[in-house]
Amino acid sequence: MPKSPMAEAIGYALNHWKALERYLEAGFLEIDNGASERGLRPVAVGRNNWLFVGSEAGGKTAAILMSLCATCKRVGIDPLAYLRDVLERISTHPASRIAELVPDQWRKIRAGPDQGESPSTSAGP
């Protein structure tokens, strides 16, 4: 087969045909991995910055905060509003109800029963 860009693309498609059809068999799969790549972009962009976190504990703290912010964005809430609210309330919040402070539960509580549970619900302070 010739080595033109078009021939290489066709060869790639033919060699990976089974994988290319996979999303047709399982309706929950996306046709592309754009969402995954967008989710990993901050990791790639920040990789050099993390060389300067100062210590292993600092790196661990940065990873926890980034994970928390990513979760907030995934469930449709402003990470700053979430962190501000939780940090203001955590010292007096009952330990038996700590699950209310995770981002998805926090969003549901802030939305109230009449506003539904769509991810686009804004939950400001």
Side-chain angles (χ1 to χ4, degrees):
M1 186 174 264
K3 291 296 179 189
S4 70
M6 180 62 81
E8 288 182 13
I10 292 170
Y12 178 89
L14 292 174
N15 289 335
H16 295 89
W17 195 255
K18 185 128 179 94
L20 292 170
E21 287 183 325
R22 181 70 179 122
Y23 83 96
L24 297 171
E25 299 166 4
F28 64 90
L29 294 174
E30 297 288 334
I31 193 169
D32 63 20
N33 67 346
S36 297
E37 289 181 7
R38 282 188 301 280
L40 290 173
R41 186 166 175 14
V43 173
V45 170
R47 191 172 291 136
N48 286 336
N49 295 337
W50 299 331
L51 294 173
F52 305 103
V53 294
S55 67
E56 186 175 338
K60 194 173 200 176
T61 300
I64 290 168
L65 287 172
M66 288 188 63
S67 176
L68 192 57
C69 288
T71 300
C72 287
K73 290 177 184 178
R74 185 178 50 82
V75 298
I77 59 176
D78 175 25
L80 182 59
Y82 167 77
L83 287 170
R84 181 180 294 134
D85 182 65
V86 169
L87 291 174
E88 287 173 357
R89 295 189 304 138
I90 198 160
S91 65
T92 59
H93 195 81
S96 61
R97 294 180 18 218
I98 201 75
E100 294 174 359
L101 300 181
V102 297
D104 61 333
Q105 296 302 314
W106 181 88
R107 180 181 59 83
K108 289 176 186 176
I109 291 167
R110 299 281 290 190
D114 58 337
Q115 293 183 16
E117 298 181 8
S118 76
S120 62
T121 300
S122 176

